[in-house]
Amino acid sequence: MTPQVGAPLAVETRGLSKVFGSQRAVDDVSLQVPRGSVFGFLGPNGSGKTTTIRILLGLAAATEGEVRLLGEPMPGRGAVVLPHVGALVEGPGFYPFLSGRDNLRRLDAADPTTTPRTRRTRVEEALERVGLSHAAAKKVHAYSLGMKQRLGLANALLRPRQLLVLDEPTNGLDPQGTREVRHLVRSLSEDGTTVFVSSHLLGEIEQMCDSTAVMSAGRLVWQGGMEALRAEGRARVRVRTPDVAEARACLAGLGLEPDLEGPALLAAPLVDGVATEQAVAALVAAGVRVRGVEVSGETLEDRYVALTGEGFDVAG
Amino acid sequence: MLFGRRRTWAMLAALALVPVLVAVAVRIEDPGRDGPPFLGSITSNGLFVSLTAMTVSIPLFLPLTVGVVAGDTIAGEASLGTLRYLLVAPAGRLRLLAVKMAGAAAFCLAAATTIALTGALVGAALFPVGPVTLLSGDTVGLGGYAVRLGLLVLYVALSLLGLSAVGLFISTLTTVPVGAMAATVVLAGAAQVLGQLPQLEVIHPWLFSAHWLGFADLLRSPLDLGSLGENALLQLAYLAVFGSLAYGRFTTKDVLS
Ligand SMILES: Nc1ncnc2c1ncn2[C@@H]1O[C@H](COP(=O)(O)OP(=O)(O)O)[C@@H](O)[C@H]1O
Ligand SMILES: [Mg+2]
């Protein structure tokens, strides 16, 4: 039996939670990953991305909640679903005393549904696809971190997959390698593969993905199309004036919440019902010397930081 | 896979060294009647090297190597990070356990075979070889001896199955292979110590090491397979109990390595 090809969602979770001791590493996460999408799973270190992925793949049991992968419940139907899923979880894992090629052959043989007859060619194709053909005969202990990462990707590509789950696939790669991964993901997506890719780097997700979910401290804080996330950011108005105190009072009177961004620069997120020209008219009427006005959209980064919190505190 | 590893071959080589050392030592100085069983018979018949080497390897060397192999089964994969990739392949948790146990059993057989064969070869090279006088006083020719040596290898390999199953179970409890190996080897030692305390006589028949040195029946005529059968039952019981424990643990375990 193959997984339900018609199921509209490649990954679906309902109320997924995972408790480690007293910590809720994953807390009530309900994901919906549409088929055919390149889905970015974004969140700072320790926000619960890898733990969620382990539960999706049946490596760890959820404390609460349900998972469906390609329409089938996990972990119950893992034997049926997982052959259609390629995965890279928390970095690559290989036998250092075997060559890259032999590692792939062994992992391919571990799946009882693969065809031994085509193993040789499939392994070579996967190596070729990640640019490792020249190092295929080398023992993995002689591989650099980036080469191991590529070998991990090759393992996920050993057969045609309906879904790829890639946990931080560009970790350890140089800029060139990062670009190659982006190209790879794009070409796989064009072939119809759903790609679920996690990262703590906004820029990476922004360039690769068409939808995204944002995690923060185990909770899902946003989910939807990449465009929607961009559009959701509120515009900010910046007013350059020497009369900071008066301008602040005037803007506050309109219902805005101005912050001092520089010695003579106030900035406030625009709110519904207050047009920029209204604000300027009010400032001028109040006798504020307005020397410059600028309206800018919130950057995606501002939005990400607003969602996940700032600073270097790693959850945990 | 197990036999694609240099470590496995190093351990087999170390085991092969035991009969070589025994034979060379006897060659250099005739021991007379002292020392381990069969040692004194070697000068007159080189085939006894196998028996002496097996006897001296059973308490320490064999359990040591089996402990390394069995303790490494699951914990070794976990520590390399390959366990998660085997499971999402998907290898299937029960299937993976079965393959690992089969690998450990194959190692037990290879280990016993290595000692027996090297012993026979080195013995034949350094000493005269002839019909073997059994413990019962009867004499068997080379063919008859080969059969008995084959049974002895089987007996010793079988003896180590229980320990392998214990090691497999311990290996599912941790992600530190060295810990699992050490714990398995320590248990092998502990079982033998318990086996020597007369106060604990009631538990003696239940120790996995109970029949480890009980292969003398195989060297009598007529051939008595009773002890082989008893040992097989005991080892299979250990395999069933610790195999189930390993299964129960491994199939419900979060793989977080
Ligand atoms: N095996 C574990 N035992 C206890 N806590 C863990 C374990 N694995 C992860 N955690 C905790 O769960 C949280 C989420 O971790 P993780 O899912 O690895 O985050 P991410 O992949 O987003 O960086 C962290 O706070 C981490 O400390
Ligand atoms: Mg992670």
Side-chain angles (χ1 to χ4, degrees):
Chain A
M1 231 204 93
T2 52
Q4 305 167 13
V5 177
L9 293 177
V11 180
E12 183 183 15
T13 73
R14 261 187 242 139
L16 202 65
S17 299
K18 179 72 184 178
V19 178
F20 288 124
S22 62
Q23 185 198 1
R24 298 187 77 84
V26 177
D27 191 2
D28 195 20
V29 168
S30 298
L31 283 173
Q32 278 118 32
V33 179
R35 275 204 184 242
S37 62
V38 179
F39 190 94
F41 196 40
L42 190 58
N45 291 329
S47 57
K49 304 181 298 294
T50 301
T51 306
T52 305
I53 287 173
R54 283 183 195 281
I55 299 171
L56 295 183
L57 298 171
L59 290 172
T63 310
E64 290 151 34
E66 292 166 30
V67 177
R68 279 180 176 272
L69 220 54
L70 302 172
E72 300 277 353
M74 285 295 288
R77 299 275 288 162
V80 175
V81 177
L82 290 176
H84 301 274
V85 180
L88 182 68
V89 189
E90 185 108 297
F94 292 105
Y95 305 99
F97 48 87
L98 292 183
S99 70
R101 177 181 286 132
D102 288 343
N103 265 289
L104 290 190
R105 288 192 182 157
R106 178 154 193 275
L107 285 169
D108 192 66
D111 176 356
T113 66
T114 54
T115 324
R117 196 168 37 81
T118 57
R119 181 163 299 143
R120 191 174 287 267
T121 35
R122 283 183 295 110
V123 164
E124 295 311 314
E125 277 165 15
L127 286 166
E128 174 88 50
R129 196 143 192 193
V130 299
L132 266 188
S133 296
H134 65 282
K138 260 195 198 160
K139 293 231 160 54
V140 166
H141 72 72
Y143 276 27
S144 70
L145 180 59
M147 289 163 82
K148 285 185 196 151
Q149 192 77 6
R150 284 165 193 254
L151 193 61
L153 285 167
N155 171 48
L157 301 175
L158 278 174
R159 5 180 353 185
R161 311 280 193 183
Q162 294 185 32
L163 171 66
L164 280 178
V165 178
L166 306 177
D167 187 16
E168 313 254 2
T170 57
N171 258 7
L173 293 184
D174 49 22
Q176 173 68 21
T178 308
R179 270 169 65 112
E180 286 170 26
V181 168
R182 274 207 301 275
H183 287 303
L184 190 64
V185 165
R186 202 162 300 145
S187 77
L188 288 164
S189 169
E190 278 160 14
D191 298 345
T193 308
T194 309
V195 186
F196 181 94
V197 49
S198 87
S199 178
H200 63 280
L201 299 172
L202 172 72
E204 207 158 87
I205 295 293
E206 190 184 1
Q207 291 183 53
M208 264 193 281
C209 302
D210 43 49
S211 6
T212 178
V214 181
M215 294 284 287
S216 175
R219 301 192 64 95
L220 184 63
V221 290
W222 199 88
Q223 176 168 225
M226 204 73 221
E227 280 312 315
L229 180 61
R230 269 195 205 98
E232 213 187 53
R234 282 191 291 171
R236 290 167 79 83
V237 59
R238 286 193 176 73
V239 180
R240 197 170 290 283
T241 171
D243 309 323
V244 172
E246 294 84 346
R248 190 190 275 264
C250 174
L251 290 173
L254 290 171
L256 302 181
E257 293 169 9
D259 284 324
L260 202 56
E261 269 196 356
L265 185 64
L266 278 176
L270 275 174
V271 296
D272 287 343
V274 181
T276 313
E277 56 271 25
Q278 262 179 294
V280 174
L283 285 168
V284 172
V288 174
R289 289 169 288 170
V290 178
R291 292 189 176 157
V293 175
E294 174 194 276
V295 180
S296 61
E298 189 182 33
T299 64
L300 202 52
E301 191 170 338
D302 295 334
R303 185 78 193 112
Y304 178 48
V305 169
L307 283 169
T308 59
E310 217 159 344
F312 287 105
D313 296 339
V314 171
Chain B
M1 169 62 200
L2 180 63
F3 293 98
R5 257 188 110 154
R6 225 178 307 171
R7 187 177 70 194
T8 309
W9 292 106
M11 289 195 299
L12 290 177
L15 287 173
L17 214 56
V18 174
V20 173
L21 285 179
V22 168
V24 170
V26 173
R27 179 84 232 190
I28 293 170
E29 191 179 333
D30 187 336
R33 294 281 96 188
D34 296 337
F38 314 112
L39 192 66
S41 316
I42 290 176
T43 38
S44 51
N45 193 338
L47 293 176
F48 279 105
V49 172
S50 298
L51 302 185
T52 312
M54 203 71 100
T55 314
V56 300
S57 301
I58 283 173
L60 179 64
F61 255 25
L62 280 170
L64 197 66
T65 54
V66 169
V68 168
V69 169
D72 194 47
T73 44
I74 300 296
E77 301 279 359
S79 80
L80 288 177
T82 42
L83 184 55
R84 59 178 181 271
Y85 289 106
L86 289 174
L87 291 181
V88 302
R93 298 196 184 206
L94 176 58
R95 182 164 157 262
L96 186 59
L97 270 186
V99 168
K100 287 295 185 181
M101 186 62 220
F107 179 82
C108 294
L109 193 60
T113 309
T114 302
I115 294 176
L117 277 189
T118 325
L121 291 177
V122 177
L126 296 185
F127 301 100
V129 167
V132 177
T133 310
L134 297 176
L135 296 177
S136 54
D138 306 76
T139 301
V140 291
L142 286 190
Y145 178 75
V147 170
R148 283 159 198 271
L149 197 59
L151 283 173
L152 175 65
V153 164
L154 202 65
Y155 184 98
V156 172
L158 206 59
S159 289
L160 296 167
L161 275 191
L163 179 64
S164 303
V166 171
L168 180 75
F169 170 58
I170 296 176
S171 195
T172 62
L173 301 177
T174 171
T175 56
V176 187
V178 183
M181 294 175 196
T184 310
V185 174
V186 165
L187 278 182
Q192 294 181 81
V193 170
L194 295 180
Q196 286 177 2
L197 298 178
Q199 292 84 349
L200 298 174
E201 200 141 352
V202 279
I203 64 161
H204 285 179
W206 304 103
L207 295 170
F208 55 77
S209 57
H211 302 287
W212 275 9
L213 291 168
F215 53 77
D217 281 356
L218 299 177
L219 303 173
R220 291 204 173 92
S221 189
L223 192 55
D224 179 3
L225 294 179
S227 59
L228 183 67
E230 248 172 67
N231 190 13
L233 272 184
L234 178 72
Q235 300 300 332
L236 288 180
Y238 266 93
L239 190 62
V241 171
F242 282 89
S244 308
L245 284 175
Y247 174 78
R249 164 70 185 163
F250 189 52
T251 48
T252 54
K253 168 181 156 141
D254 280 353
V255 174
L256 299 170
S257 55

